[in-house]
Amino acid sequence: AGGLTLNPDTDLVINPVTGADYGRLSPANLFEVDAYFIRGDWTVQGQLSWGRQKLAAVTPDPVTGELRDSAWTGLSALVAYKFTPRLEGIVRADYIRNAKNGGGLFGYTAADDRNGIGPDAAGNPEVGANRHALSFGVSYLWDLNTTLKLEYRQDFANLPVFLTHDGLYRKRNTLLGASVVVSF
């Protein structure tokens, strides 16, 4: 048990151990700085982020069951180059420091073993995983309204938080994704 638990009848936050009512959803504070540079075929983007949310940590206090605050910082960078007007290569790197109270991010108040959010399932529930990712992708503009995208991403964490197909937790995760984006 951990993270925000909602009473389905009242939509109020409740203590997962005692059942005490916390009231309405918890406030969040977010601060982000974004920068970008686009010249000719090159695009460079970056983001620095800091956030915290009351009563939204993945794990409650182990003694009282009280919900605790989550806090995180993150850094993201992207570099893209257009090989042709239609074909673009993209490299992206991300880092999230998320160790406080078992982890927790805006929108993630419970452990997520697909995305590597939360504590080590077999270890200390008080410490969330810090994670980073490296992505390589290509984007092809099929026509003015259709873009084809392909991405290979490698996720890493300092704790084994990625659940694999064999039921074990690992510190790495591999993702291959493809999409068709249609705009109109």
Side-chain angles (χ1 to χ4, degrees):
L4 292 178
T5 304
L6 295 180
N7 179 331
D9 298 326
T10 62
D11 218 21
L12 299 176
V13 181
I14 58 172
N15 182 309
V17 175
T18 66
D21 187 352
Y22 283 111
R24 293 283 170 203
L25 291 175
S26 61
N29 299 306
L30 304 169
F31 180 77
E32 295 182 347
V33 176
D34 297 301
Y36 68 92
F37 175 82
I38 301 172
R39 290 292 181 271
D41 296 330
W42 287 97
T43 298
V44 179
Q45 298 175 337
Q47 180 183 68
L48 179 62
S49 147
W50 171 86
R52 69 179 182 179
Q53 187 172 1
K54 288 205 160 290
L55 307 175
V58 169
T59 57
D61 184 282
V63 176
T64 66
E66 293 295 315
L67 295 179
R68 300 180 292 178
D69 298 348
S70 63
W72 62 91
T73 54
L75 179 64
S76 182
L78 177 142
V79 175
Y81 180 76
K82 287 191 181 284
F83 298 107
T84 70
R86 292 180 177 242
L87 181 64
E88 182 175 41
I90 304 162
V91 176
R92 179 178 168 150
D94 300 288
Y95 175 76
I96 299 172
R97 183 177 174 275
N98 189 25
K100 184 175 181 178
N101 296 332
L105 297 169
F106 189 67
Y108 287 91
T109 58
D112 181 344
D113 53 20
R114 287 185 182 227
N115 290 302
I117 309 298
D120 175 356
N124 181 358
E126 296 296 299
V127 179
N130 296 326
R131 63 180 307 278
H132 54 283
L134 185 60
S135 304
F136 301 94
V138 292
S139 176
Y140 182 76
L141 183 63
W142 182 265
D143 61 31
L144 289 177
N145 297 31
T146 309
T147 303
L148 307 174
K149 295 183 175 186
L150 182 65
E151 177 185 14
Y152 170 80
R153 187 177 82 205
Q154 192 66 221
D155 296 320
F156 306 91
N158 66 326
L159 301 171
V161 290
F162 297 106
L163 182 62
T164 61
H165 67 284
D166 56 6
L168 300 174
Y169 285 88
R170 307 240 191 268
K171 291 183 179 183
R172 292 179 61 160
N173 185 48
T174 302
L175 173 81
L176 181 62
S179 64
V180 177
V181 179
V182 179
S183 60
F184 48 92

